[in-house]
């Protein structure tokens, strides 16, 4: 409730982007697709909110590049420095599965991280990527 209350009071765009909770079946399916077991804290978080759904992600899925205002609604922080802007959003399960496979298939994840790490959060364009070590629960 604190996350909802805070985002509602301080950043309506982030509040509106929070997904509904994932089902146990969705979590189990994502684990199977990724070949990992999620740490308990991730399961709890995703039961509350299945990441963020932002309009620019939906536009990209449909082959259009339309950043729009939602590009600034990253739950995990944002910053701008001259012409460099980063806003990190929490990925929903289906995007975790999709983008983790994309980066692993192209060997863009260091070999030592391939078995245990999944992409948890990223900025548009993937300048910043946060990986979850499913064996320890740490985010890198």
């Amino acid at each position: 409730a604190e996350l909802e209350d805070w985002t509602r009071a301080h950043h309506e765009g982030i509040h509106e982007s929070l997904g509904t909770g994932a089902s146990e079946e969705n979590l189990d399916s994502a684990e199977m697709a990724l070949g990992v077991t999620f740490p308990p804290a991730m399961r709890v978080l995703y039961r509350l909110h299945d990441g963020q759904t932002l309009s620019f992600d939906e536009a990209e899925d449909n082959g259009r590049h339309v950043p729009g205002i939602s590009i600034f609604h990253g739950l995990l922080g944002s910053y701008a420095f001259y012409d460099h802007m980063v806003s990190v959003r929490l990925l929903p399960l289906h995007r975790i599965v999709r983008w983790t496979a994309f980066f692993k298939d192209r060997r863009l994840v260091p070999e030592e991280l391939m078995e245990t790490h999944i992409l948890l959060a990223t900025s548009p364009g993937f300048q910043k990527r946060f990986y979850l070590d499913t064996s320890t629960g740490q985010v890198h």
Side-chain angles (χ1 to χ4, degrees), residues 20-82:
T20 58
S23 68
E24 287 296 322
E25 294 78 23
N26 293 138
L27 288 159
D28 293 343
S29 177
E31 285 179 329
M32 289 290 290
L34 294 162
V36 300
T37 300
F38 295 146
M42 180 177 172
R43 290 189 77 90
V44 169
L45 174 62
Y46 275 78
R47 288 288 291 146
L48 297 172
H49 296 288
D50 185 2
Q52 291 182 268
T53 301
L54 301 173
S55 59
F56 79 88
D57 282 322
E58 293 169 348
E60 290 284 335
D61 287 347
N62 294 315
R64 299 185 330 263
H65 180 68
V66 184
I69 193 70
S70 75
I71 201 167
F72 299 105
H73 296 166
L75 179 63
L76 292 150
S78 302
Y79 66 87
F81 188 72
Y82 294 104

